[in-house]
Amino acid sequence: MEDELEKLKPAGLPADMQSWNIEDLQNYIAHMEAEIIQAKALIADKGAINAAADALFGKGNE
């Protein structure tokens, strides 16, 4: 599990954000928020695809 989390971490990030200035931290947050929005959109799309497949193949209607 720990290895999987390590793979998800972006490459090239400094180990210590303590040294970042306020503008860098704000930019980092904006970037992460954009990534979260993108990930949520992908989840919604995949959920819709799964729901359509379930409806087509009758999953849950047994």
PDB file of all heavy atoms in Angstrom, residues 6 9 12-16 18-19 22-24 28-29 36 39 43-44 47 49 51 54-55 57 62:
ATOM      1  N   GLU A   6       3.396   6.122  -2.856  1.00  0.00           N
ATOM      2  CA  GLU A   6       4.625   6.768  -3.323  1.00  0.00           C
ATOM      3  C   GLU A   6       4.582   7.003  -4.830  1.00  0.00           C
ATOM      4  O   GLU A   6       5.056   8.016  -5.314  1.00  0.00           O
ATOM      5  CB  GLU A   6       5.850   5.931  -2.962  1.00  0.00           C
ATOM      6  CG  GLU A   6       6.220   5.945  -1.491  1.00  0.00           C
ATOM      7  CD  GLU A   6       6.566   7.342  -0.977  1.00  0.00           C
ATOM      8  OE1 GLU A   6       7.293   8.069  -1.676  1.00  0.00           O
ATOM      9  OE2 GLU A   6       6.101   7.705   0.114  1.00  0.00           O
ATOM     10  N   LYS A   9       2.720  10.243  -5.852  1.00  0.00           N
ATOM     11  CA  LYS A   9       3.318  11.536  -5.542  1.00  0.00           C
ATOM     12  C   LYS A   9       3.988  12.114  -6.784  1.00  0.00           C
ATOM     13  O   LYS A   9       4.690  11.416  -7.496  1.00  0.00           O
ATOM     14  CB  LYS A   9       4.347  11.397  -4.419  1.00  0.00           C
ATOM     15  CG  LYS A   9       3.735  11.112  -3.071  1.00  0.00           C
ATOM     16  CD  LYS A   9       4.791  11.087  -1.996  1.00  0.00           C
ATOM     17  CE  LYS A   9       4.180  10.788  -0.655  1.00  0.00           C
ATOM     18  NZ  LYS A   9       5.203  10.708   0.388  1.00  0.00           N
ATOM     19  N   GLY A  12       9.687  15.391  -8.514  1.00  0.00           N
ATOM     20  CA  GLY A  12      10.351  16.676  -8.512  1.00  0.00           C
ATOM     21  C   GLY A  12       9.914  17.649  -7.439  1.00  0.00           C
ATOM     22  O   GLY A  12      10.358  18.783  -7.435  1.00  0.00           O
ATOM     23  N   LEU A  13       9.018  17.221  -6.552  1.00  0.00           N
ATOM     24  CA  LEU A  13       8.618  18.115  -5.482  1.00  0.00           C
ATOM     25  C   LEU A  13       9.695  18.136  -4.396  1.00  0.00           C
ATOM     26  O   LEU A  13      10.217  17.095  -4.032  1.00  0.00           O
ATOM     27  CB  LEU A  13       7.308  17.661  -4.829  1.00  0.00           C
ATOM     28  CG  LEU A  13       6.030  17.924  -5.581  1.00  0.00           C
ATOM     29  CD1 LEU A  13       4.845  17.397  -4.785  1.00  0.00           C
ATOM     30  CD2 LEU A  13       5.837  19.391  -5.857  1.00  0.00           C
ATOM     31  N   PRO A  14       9.995  19.309  -3.898  1.00  0.00           N
ATOM     32  CA  PRO A  14      10.932  19.349  -2.772  1.00  0.00           C
ATOM     33  C   PRO A  14      10.353  18.593  -1.585  1.00  0.00           C
ATOM     34  O   PRO A  14       9.138  18.561  -1.394  1.00  0.00           O
ATOM     35  CB  PRO A  14      11.043  20.831  -2.455  1.00  0.00           C
ATOM     36  CG  PRO A  14      10.507  21.548  -3.628  1.00  0.00           C
ATOM     37  CD  PRO A  14       9.572  20.614  -4.321  1.00  0.00           C
ATOM     38  N   ALA A  15      11.208  17.970  -0.820  1.00  0.00           N
ATOM     39  CA  ALA A  15      10.758  17.183   0.316  1.00  0.00           C
ATOM     40  C   ALA A  15      10.127  18.071   1.381  1.00  0.00           C
ATOM     41  O   ALA A  15       9.256  17.644   2.115  1.00  0.00           O
ATOM     42  CB  ALA A  15      11.921  16.400   0.902  1.00  0.00           C
ATOM     43  N   ASP A  16      10.542  19.332   1.461  1.00  0.00           N
ATOM     44  CA  ASP A  16      10.084  20.209   2.518  1.00  0.00           C
ATOM     45  C   ASP A  16       9.477  21.477   1.926  1.00  0.00           C
ATOM     46  O   ASP A  16      10.198  22.340   1.435  1.00  0.00           O
ATOM     47  CB  ASP A  16      11.257  20.558   3.439  1.00  0.00           C
ATOM     48  CG  ASP A  16      10.829  21.392   4.618  1.00  0.00           C
ATOM     49  OD1 ASP A  16       9.611  21.455   4.907  1.00  0.00           O
ATOM     50  OD2 ASP A  16      11.715  21.985   5.262  1.00  0.00           O
ATOM     51  N   GLN A  18       8.257  23.741   3.537  1.00  0.00           N
ATOM     52  CA  GLN A  18       8.482  24.806   4.505  1.00  0.00           C
ATOM     53  C   GLN A  18       9.300  25.949   3.899  1.00  0.00           C
ATOM     54  O   GLN A  18       9.124  27.097   4.258  1.00  0.00           O
ATOM     55  CB  GLN A  18       9.206  24.224   5.723  1.00  0.00           C
ATOM     56  CG  GLN A  18       9.184  25.087   6.943  1.00  0.00           C
ATOM     57  CD  GLN A  18       7.792  25.168   7.567  1.00  0.00           C
ATOM     58  OE1 GLN A  18       6.886  24.404   7.231  1.00  0.00           O
ATOM     59  NE2 GLN A  18       7.632  26.101   8.466  1.00  0.00           N
ATOM     60  N   SER A  19      10.143  25.628   2.948  1.00  0.00           N
ATOM     61  CA  SER A  19      11.003  26.644   2.346  1.00  0.00           C
ATOM     62  C   SER A  19      10.322  27.401   1.200  1.00  0.00           C
ATOM     63  O   SER A  19      10.876  28.355   0.682  1.00  0.00           O
ATOM     64  CB  SER A  19      12.291  25.994   1.831  1.00  0.00           C
ATOM     65  OG  SER A  19      11.993  25.076   0.804  1.00  0.00           O
ATOM     66  N   ILE A  22       5.028  32.205  -0.124  1.00  0.00           N
ATOM     67  CA  ILE A  22       3.562  32.193  -0.133  1.00  0.00           C
ATOM     68  C   ILE A  22       3.011  32.027  -1.540  1.00  0.00           C
ATOM     69  O   ILE A  22       2.078  31.253  -1.770  1.00  0.00           O
ATOM     70  CB  ILE A  22       3.005  33.469   0.531  1.00  0.00           C
ATOM     71  CG1 ILE A  22       3.323  33.443   2.029  1.00  0.00           C
ATOM     72  CG2 ILE A  22       1.502  33.608   0.303  1.00  0.00           C
ATOM     73  CD1 ILE A  22       2.998  34.726   2.754  1.00  0.00           C
ATOM     74  N   GLU A  23       3.600  32.725  -2.497  1.00  0.00           N
ATOM     75  CA  GLU A  23       3.118  32.630  -3.878  1.00  0.00           C
ATOM     76  C   GLU A  23       3.261  31.207  -4.418  1.00  0.00           C
ATOM     77  O   GLU A  23       2.347  30.681  -5.069  1.00  0.00           O
ATOM     78  CB  GLU A  23       3.876  33.603  -4.775  1.00  0.00           C
ATOM     79  CG  GLU A  23       3.350  33.630  -6.190  1.00  0.00           C
ATOM     80  CD  GLU A  23       4.092  34.625  -7.075  1.00  0.00           C
ATOM     81  OE1 GLU A  23       4.978  35.339  -6.575  1.00  0.00           O
ATOM     82  OE2 GLU A  23       3.773  34.677  -8.271  1.00  0.00           O
ATOM     83  N   ASP A  24       4.383  30.559  -4.134  1.00  0.00           N
ATOM     84  CA  ASP A  24       4.584  29.174  -4.575  1.00  0.00           C
ATOM     85  C   ASP A  24       3.564  28.247  -3.933  1.00  0.00           C
ATOM     86  O   ASP A  24       3.019  27.353  -4.587  1.00  0.00           O
ATOM     87  CB  ASP A  24       5.998  28.698  -4.241  1.00  0.00           C
ATOM     88  CG  ASP A  24       7.054  29.347  -5.110  1.00  0.00           C
ATOM     89  OD1 ASP A  24       6.710  29.874  -6.187  1.00  0.00           O
ATOM     90  OD2 ASP A  24       8.235  29.324  -4.704  1.00  0.00           O
ATOM     91  N   TYR A  28       0.769  26.108  -5.872  1.00  0.00           N
ATOM     92  CA  TYR A  28       0.697  24.659  -5.652  1.00  0.00           C
ATOM     93  C   TYR A  28      -0.728  24.249  -5.299  1.00  0.00           C
ATOM     94  O   TYR A  28      -1.268  23.287  -5.849  1.00  0.00           O
ATOM     95  CB  TYR A  28       1.666  24.255  -4.553  1.00  0.00           C
ATOM     96  CG  TYR A  28       1.642  22.784  -4.225  1.00  0.00           C
ATOM     97  CD1 TYR A  28       2.162  21.845  -5.113  1.00  0.00           C
ATOM     98  CD2 TYR A  28       1.101  22.333  -3.038  1.00  0.00           C
ATOM     99  CE1 TYR A  28       2.143  20.499  -4.816  1.00  0.00           C
ATOM    100  CE2 TYR A  28       1.081  20.987  -2.734  1.00  0.00           C
ATOM    101  CZ  TYR A  28       1.596  20.072  -3.622  1.00  0.00           C
ATOM    102  OH  TYR A  28       1.570  18.736  -3.326  1.00  0.00           O
ATOM    103  N   ILE A  29      -1.367  25.009  -4.425  1.00  0.00           N
ATOM    104  CA  ILE A  29      -2.747  24.711  -4.040  1.00  0.00           C
ATOM    105  C   ILE A  29      -3.673  24.823  -5.244  1.00  0.00           C
ATOM    106  O   ILE A  29      -4.526  23.952  -5.466  1.00  0.00           O
ATOM    107  CB  ILE A  29      -3.205  25.645  -2.903  1.00  0.00           C
ATOM    108  CG1 ILE A  29      -2.486  25.271  -1.598  1.00  0.00           C
ATOM    109  CG2 ILE A  29      -4.721  25.582  -2.710  1.00  0.00           C
ATOM    110  CD1 ILE A  29      -2.682  26.279  -0.486  1.00  0.00           C
ATOM    111  N   ILE A  36      -7.789  17.970  -8.573  1.00  0.00           N
ATOM    112  CA  ILE A  36      -8.923  17.363  -7.868  1.00  0.00           C
ATOM    113  C   ILE A  36     -10.184  17.469  -8.715  1.00  0.00           C
ATOM    114  O   ILE A  36     -10.942  16.498  -8.846  1.00  0.00           O
ATOM    115  CB  ILE A  36      -9.118  18.017  -6.483  1.00  0.00           C
ATOM    116  CG1 ILE A  36      -7.971  17.601  -5.552  1.00  0.00           C
ATOM    117  CG2 ILE A  36     -10.476  17.652  -5.889  1.00  0.00           C
ATOM    118  CD1 ILE A  36      -7.886  18.400  -4.273  1.00  0.00           C
ATOM    119  N   ALA A  39      -9.938  14.942 -11.448  1.00  0.00           N
ATOM    120  CA  ALA A  39     -10.144  13.585 -10.943  1.00  0.00           C
ATOM    121  C   ALA A  39     -11.620  13.336 -10.645  1.00  0.00           C
ATOM    122  O   ALA A  39     -12.155  12.258 -10.948  1.00  0.00           O
ATOM    123  CB  ALA A  39      -9.299  13.346  -9.692  1.00  0.00           C
ATOM    124  N   ILE A  43     -14.089  10.500 -12.242  1.00  0.00           N
ATOM    125  CA  ILE A  43     -14.895   9.594 -11.415  1.00  0.00           C
ATOM    126  C   ILE A  43     -16.348   9.640 -11.861  1.00  0.00           C
ATOM    127  O   ILE A  43     -17.008   8.599 -12.002  1.00  0.00           O
ATOM    128  CB  ILE A  43     -14.752   9.952  -9.926  1.00  0.00           C
ATOM    129  CG1 ILE A  43     -13.355   9.574  -9.433  1.00  0.00           C
ATOM    130  CG2 ILE A  43     -15.827   9.269  -9.089  1.00  0.00           C
ATOM    131  CD1 ILE A  43     -13.003  10.120  -8.060  1.00  0.00           C
ATOM    132  N   ALA A  44     -16.861  10.841 -12.108  1.00  0.00           N
ATOM    133  CA  ALA A  44     -18.251  10.984 -12.558  1.00  0.00           C
ATOM    134  C   ALA A  44     -18.460  10.296 -13.900  1.00  0.00           C
ATOM    135  O   ALA A  44     -19.455   9.592 -14.100  1.00  0.00           O
ATOM    136  CB  ALA A  44     -18.623  12.461 -12.639  1.00  0.00           C
ATOM    137  N   GLY A  47     -18.382   6.592 -13.391  1.00  0.00           N
ATOM    138  CA  GLY A  47     -19.614   6.176 -12.725  1.00  0.00           C
ATOM    139  C   GLY A  47     -20.775   6.091 -13.695  1.00  0.00           C
ATOM    140  O   GLY A  47     -21.580   5.162 -13.644  1.00  0.00           O
ATOM    141  N   ILE A  49     -20.533   5.561 -16.921  1.00  0.00           N
ATOM    142  CA  ILE A  49     -20.282   4.400 -17.788  1.00  0.00           C
ATOM    143  C   ILE A  49     -20.663   3.115 -17.072  1.00  0.00           C
ATOM    144  O   ILE A  49     -21.308   2.232 -17.655  1.00  0.00           O
ATOM    145  CB  ILE A  49     -18.816   4.373 -18.251  1.00  0.00           C
ATOM    146  CG1 ILE A  49     -18.559   5.530 -19.207  1.00  0.00           C
ATOM    147  CG2 ILE A  49     -18.454   3.037 -18.886  1.00  0.00           C
ATOM    148  CD1 ILE A  49     -17.094   5.779 -19.515  1.00  0.00           C
ATOM    149  N   ALA A  51     -22.842   2.777 -14.639  1.00  0.00           N
ATOM    150  CA  ALA A  51     -24.300   2.741 -14.505  1.00  0.00           C
ATOM    151  C   ALA A  51     -24.948   2.312 -15.815  1.00  0.00           C
ATOM    152  O   ALA A  51     -25.901   1.521 -15.818  1.00  0.00           O
ATOM    153  CB  ALA A  51     -24.815   4.109 -14.063  1.00  0.00           C
ATOM    154  N   ASP A  54     -24.334  -1.385 -16.213  1.00  0.00           N
ATOM    155  CA  ASP A  54     -25.202  -2.132 -15.308  1.00  0.00           C
ATOM    156  C   ASP A  54     -26.632  -2.177 -15.838  1.00  0.00           C
ATOM    157  O   ASP A  54     -27.291  -3.216 -15.780  1.00  0.00           O
ATOM    158  CB  ASP A  54     -25.187  -1.501 -13.912  1.00  0.00           C
ATOM    159  CG  ASP A  54     -23.873  -1.713 -13.177  1.00  0.00           C
ATOM    160  OD1 ASP A  54     -23.044  -2.543 -13.636  1.00  0.00           O
ATOM    161  OD2 ASP A  54     -23.662  -1.030 -12.151  1.00  0.00           O
ATOM    162  N   ALA A  55     -27.099  -1.049 -16.376  1.00  0.00           N
ATOM    163  CA  ALA A  55     -28.447  -1.010 -16.924  1.00  0.00           C
ATOM    164  C   ALA A  55     -28.561  -1.907 -18.152  1.00  0.00           C
ATOM    165  O   ALA A  55     -29.560  -2.605 -18.340  1.00  0.00           O
ATOM    166  CB  ALA A  55     -28.838   0.427 -17.289  1.00  0.00           C
ATOM    167  N   PHE A  57     -26.659  -4.576 -18.952  1.00  0.00           N
ATOM    168  CA  PHE A  57     -26.470  -5.993 -18.662  1.00  0.00           C
ATOM    169  C   PHE A  57     -27.276  -6.488 -17.487  1.00  0.00           C
ATOM    170  O   PHE A  57     -27.143  -7.634 -17.083  1.00  0.00           O
ATOM    171  CB  PHE A  57     -24.975  -6.283 -18.466  1.00  0.00           C
ATOM    172  CG  PHE A  57     -24.164  -6.042 -19.708  1.00  0.00           C
ATOM    173  CD1 PHE A  57     -23.303  -4.963 -19.781  1.00  0.00           C
ATOM    174  CD2 PHE A  57     -24.284  -6.874 -20.809  1.00  0.00           C
ATOM    175  CE1 PHE A  57     -22.551  -4.727 -20.927  1.00  0.00           C
ATOM    176  CE2 PHE A  57     -23.557  -6.642 -21.958  1.00  0.00           C
ATOM    177  CZ  PHE A  57     -22.683  -5.567 -22.032  1.00  0.00           C
ATOM    178  N   GLU A  62     -31.461  -8.612 -10.451  1.00  0.00           N
ATOM    179  CA  GLU A  62     -31.608 -10.072 -10.409  1.00  0.00           C
ATOM    180  C   GLU A  62     -32.766 -10.498  -9.563  1.00  0.00           C
ATOM    181  O   GLU A  62     -33.173 -10.023  -8.621  1.00  0.00           O
ATOM    182  CB  GLU A  62     -30.319 -10.711  -9.890  1.00  0.00           C
ATOM    183  CG  GLU A  62     -29.173 -10.421 -10.828  1.00  0.00           C
ATOM    184  CD  GLU A  62     -27.806 -10.740 -10.207  1.00  0.00           C
ATOM    185  OE1 GLU A  62     -27.758 -11.221  -9.063  1.00  0.00           O
ATOM    186  OE2 GLU A  62     -26.809 -10.497 -10.865  1.00  0.00           O
TER     187      GLU A  62
END
